[in-house]
């Protein structure tokens, strides 16, 4: 059975129609009437961009470790095959394309003259395990289709367009995230090359096998002066747009996240001989920690979410008391302050559980991504493009992480969300309707064609 989130209550203060606060923002005034429009949009008949995008989404989704469960993990052979396919689409669309030193697929469409700064568009082409096919590829493929459309019409703009397919956003293989966009932002940490995957292969070895030179990752970095902005279109991955009956939304900010790796050490022993009162069962301790984390987040009223998504018990036999358990913790909240306080409280709680159970606890922060606000001037232009396509303008934050979290170091960031059917993501049932993919493409195309660099006069 498929269970959606559409009927869950939402924290209403985080979501708003632009018409409720339009008057304080340049260019928002005329959108006051947009909420009067058909909430589902103007219902354009020509879905050709959407059809092309969905066909390519399906073609890319066929490149997977296993046919039954989509998994395209950083620097695997499937990842390489996907990169080659994306390169071919970029070239067909009129982009000059290459792979950079971390495996990002990079394409450039020159403006009215060569060498102009670019508007950078993109998303990632790696996936989680047993993934949906839209998370990442939707934004990348849509951007390529938009450039193809410009190219077909011979349209050149007063700036270049670059499209980038980030090699690693999900961080599945090397317990990290945003490796592709960090390389572009110049914040890739060299020591990451020594990190090993579960099979013991280092990132350095994996890059070499992929056909890349790990010593040249620095060459993937771009300068702030080369970019006018970074704009990403992405599936919403949640239920908010669906609840609003809207195909497209303006993203206000990308929520920060803290990830921890925790391990509990107790004493392994015989499942039949050690009395319950004398046990130091690390797995039972982890179970208590997991429920405590869930309870803590459930009772929070500020939008805090916490997930234990991975657990491993050792030695892992039916008749042995688990002596050692490792698990991950992912904590997110709408503000950095709230998240940091919550992480500190959660760590205190699991420390207390460990003490009471005579277990030793090690909890290390493996990632700390700050909340990234989308630039107001880009939010305005995204909103304008949405309104221009006849949709009601609606703003919402992103609970999911995105490459903009790294790109913020070299560019202002804007994001466009496309409705996610059933609000389901990181799951094979993740779905976008053709009409919504088409709406996303039309909004992105309009945004590109009307794009004005920061500070440029309104047209
Ligand atoms: C990426 O999808 C994340 O939000 O973890
Ligand atoms: Mn994802
Ligand atoms: Mn994503």
């Amino acid at each position: 059975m498929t269970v959606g989130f559409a009927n869950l209550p939402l924290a209403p203060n985080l979501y708003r129609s632009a018409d409720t606060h339009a008057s304080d923002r340049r260019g928002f005034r005329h959108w006051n009437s947009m909420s009067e429009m058909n909430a589902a949009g103007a219902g354009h008949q020509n879905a050709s961009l959407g059809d092309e995008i969905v066909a390519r989404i399906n073609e890319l989704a066929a490149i997977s470790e296993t046919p039954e469960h989509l998994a395209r993990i950083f620097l695997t052979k499937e990842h390489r095959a996907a990169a080659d396919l994306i390169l071919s689409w970029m070239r067909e669309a009129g982009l000059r394309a290459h792979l950079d030193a971390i495996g990002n697929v990079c394409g450039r469409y020159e403006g009215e003259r060569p060498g102009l700064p670019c508007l950078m568009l993109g998303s990632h082409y790696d996936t989680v395990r047993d993934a949906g096919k839209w998370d990442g590829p939707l934004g990348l493929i849509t951007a390529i289709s938009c450039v193809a459309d410009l190219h077909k019409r011979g349209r050149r703009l007063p700036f270049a367009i670059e499209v980038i397919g980030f090699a690693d956003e999900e961080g599945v293989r090397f317990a990290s995230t945003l490796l592709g966009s960090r390389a572009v932002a110049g914040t890739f940490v060299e020591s990451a090359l020594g990190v090993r995957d579960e099979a013991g292969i280092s990132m350095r070895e994996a890059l070499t096998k992929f056909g890349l030179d790990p010593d040249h990752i620095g060459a993937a970095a771009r300068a702030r002066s080369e970019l006018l902005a970074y704009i990403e279109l992405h599936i919403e991955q949640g239920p908010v747009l669906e609840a609003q009956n809207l195909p497209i939304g303006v993203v206000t900010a990308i929520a920060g996240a803290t990830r921890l790796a925790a391990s509990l050490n107790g004493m392994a022993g015989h499942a039949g001989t050690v009395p319950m009162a004398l046990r130091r069962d690390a797995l039972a301790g982890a179970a208590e920690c997991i429920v405590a984390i869930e309870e803590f987040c459930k009772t929070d009223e500020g939008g805090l979410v916490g997930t234990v998504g991975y657990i491993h018990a050792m030695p892992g036999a039916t008749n042995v008391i688990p002596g050692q358990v490792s698990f991950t913790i992912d904590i997110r909240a709408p503000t950095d302050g709230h998240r940091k306080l919550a992480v500190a409280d959660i760590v205190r709680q699991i420390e207390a559980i460990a003490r009471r159970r005579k277990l030793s606890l090690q909890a290390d922060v493996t990632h700390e991504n700050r909340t990234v606000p989308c630039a107001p001037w880009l939010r305005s232009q995204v909103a304008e493009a949405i309104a221009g396509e006849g949709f009601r303008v609606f703003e919402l934050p992103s609970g999911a992480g995105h490459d903009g979290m790294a790109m913020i170091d070299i560019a202002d960031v804007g994001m466009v969300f496309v409705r996610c059917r059933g609000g389901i993501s990181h799951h094979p049932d993740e779905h976008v309707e053709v009409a919504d993919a088409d709406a996303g493409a039309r909004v992105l195309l309009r945004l590109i064609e009307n794009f004005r660099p920061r500070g440029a006069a309104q047209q």
Side-chain angles (χ1 to χ4, degrees):
M1 190 179 74
T2 296
V3 182
F5 305 110
N7 298 323
L8 292 181
L10 304 170
N13 54 327
L14 300 178
Y15 312 98
R16 57 194 177 195
S17 287
D19 51 4
T20 62
H21 67 133
S23 54
D24 63 344
R25 202 164 290 156
R26 200 171 54 154
F28 266 61
R29 207 162 297 127
H30 69 284
W31 300 329
N32 283 337
S33 60
M34 280 300 151
S35 58
E36 305 305 320
M37 297 186 68
N38 177 357
H44 290 247
Q45 298 308 306
N46 179 0
S48 61
L49 278 175
D51 286 330
E52 177 186 86
I53 289 163
V54 174
R56 285 184 167 177
I57 288 278
N58 288 328
E59 200 177 340
L60 197 59
I63 306 176
S64 168
E65 250 171 47
T66 61
E68 311 81 36
H69 304 286
L70 173 57
R72 206 167 41 245
I73 309 300
F74 184 43
L75 303 177
T76 57
K77 66 179 192 319
E78 297 77 27
H79 197 241
R80 177 72 221 210
D84 289 339
L85 181 60
I86 297 160
L87 279 171
S88 74
W89 288 337
M90 283 186 173
R91 289 175 183 142
E92 203 181 299
L95 292 138
R96 204 173 64 240
H98 72 283
L99 272 188
D100 75 8
I102 190 87
N104 296 324
V105 189
C106 309
R108 183 172 165 97
Y109 183 73
E110 294 292 352
E112 284 161 354
R113 50 177 204 282
L116 291 168
C118 73
L119 168 61
M120 189 177 273
L121 309 169
S123 196
H124 58 100
Y125 71 98
D126 66 322
T127 69
V128 291
R129 292 196 184 282
D130 204 12
K133 57 191 173 189
W134 307 86
D135 173 6
L138 178 64
L140 173 57
I141 289 171
T142 302
I144 295 171
S145 289
C146 288
V147 174
D149 191 89
L150 295 174
H151 184 55
K152 238 183 283 165
R153 290 186 278 131
R155 180 98 207 264
R156 295 283 165 179
L157 297 164
F159 49 87
I161 299 172
E162 295 200 14
V163 179
I164 187 155
F166 291 112
D168 170 89
E169 186 268 354
E170 304 285 7
V172 171
R173 184 165 181 185
F174 293 105
S176 52
T177 56
L178 307 170
L179 291 170
S181 41
R182 284 192 209 283
V184 172
T187 54
F188 180 87
V189 182
E190 284 278 309
S191 59
L193 291 171
V195 176
R196 293 185 182 274
D197 67 8
E198 280 188 342
I201 300 166
S202 72
M203 197 187 303
R204 173 178 286 282
E205 289 158 0
L207 281 161
T208 308
K209 191 153 178 226
F210 194 85
L212 299 168
D213 181 351
D215 293 322
H216 277 87
I217 287 181
R222 305 294 299 271
R224 180 172 279 275
S225 58
E226 295 176 272
L227 272 70
L228 299 172
Y230 172 71
I231 296 182
E232 176 163 350
L233 176 144
H234 202 282
I235 180 175
E236 181 207 330
Q237 305 182 270
V240 178
L241 289 175
E242 186 163 80
Q244 288 287 324
N245 195 23
L246 284 172
I248 308 291
V250 187
V251 179
T252 53
I254 309 169
T258 303
R259 292 186 180 183
L260 297 103
S263 68
L264 284 167
N265 277 283
M267 177 61 87
H270 197 293
T273 60
V274 186
M276 295 309 285
L278 299 182
R279 293 184 181 205
R280 290 167 59 219
D281 183 330
L283 186 52
E288 192 178 339
C289 292
I290 294 167
V291 173
I293 293 165
E294 185 190 38
E295 244 351 88
F296 185 88
C297 296
K298 260 180 161 169
T299 50
D300 178 273
E301 287 179 355
L304 184 73
V305 287
T307 306
V308 173
Y310 171 91
I311 184 161
H312 181 68
M314 284 182 290
T318 313
N319 57 350
V320 183
I321 300 162
Q324 211 239 319
V325 169
S326 47
F327 59 100
T328 58
I329 309 171
D330 179 311
I331 304 289
R332 310 186 193 204
T335 68
D336 289 335
H338 187 35
R339 186 186 77 254
K340 284 181 180 163
L341 284 175
V343 169
D345 278 350
I346 285 170
V347 169
R348 266 194 296 277
Q349 285 201 13
I350 64 176
E351 275 170 353
I353 292 168
R355 245 189 331 272
R356 181 166 36 77
R357 288 176 165 269
K358 299 191 170 46
L359 304 169
S360 66
L361 171 75
Q362 175 80 28
D364 299 313
V365 173
T366 52
H367 277 285
E368 181 86 57
N369 283 323
R370 65 198 185 279
T371 296
V372 166
C374 292
W377 68 278
L378 290 170
R379 279 164 62 180
S380 294
Q381 292 193 30
V382 171
E384 227 175 80
I386 291 173
E389 286 298 322
F391 301 114
R392 175 162 62 92
V393 174
F394 179 77
E395 298 190 320
L396 70 169
S398 172
H402 298 289
D403 288 296
M405 295 172 114
M407 293 302 289
I408 192 77
D409 284 327
I410 52 163
D412 283 352
V413 171
M415 284 198 76
V416 183
F417 267 172
V418 177
R419 171 165 50 193
C420 170
R421 279 292 173 205
I424 300 164
S425 185
H426 281 187
H427 187 282
D429 287 346
E430 185 180 85
H431 184 65
V432 170
E433 299 289 342
V434 181
D436 292 354
D438 190 64
R442 284 185 285 109
V443 165
L444 190 63
L445 191 54
R446 183 180 285 268
L447 178 58
I448 296 167
E449 291 198 78
N450 293 302
F451 177 75
R452 301 170 304 278
R454 183 179 196 167
Q458 289 278 354
Q459 285 166 357

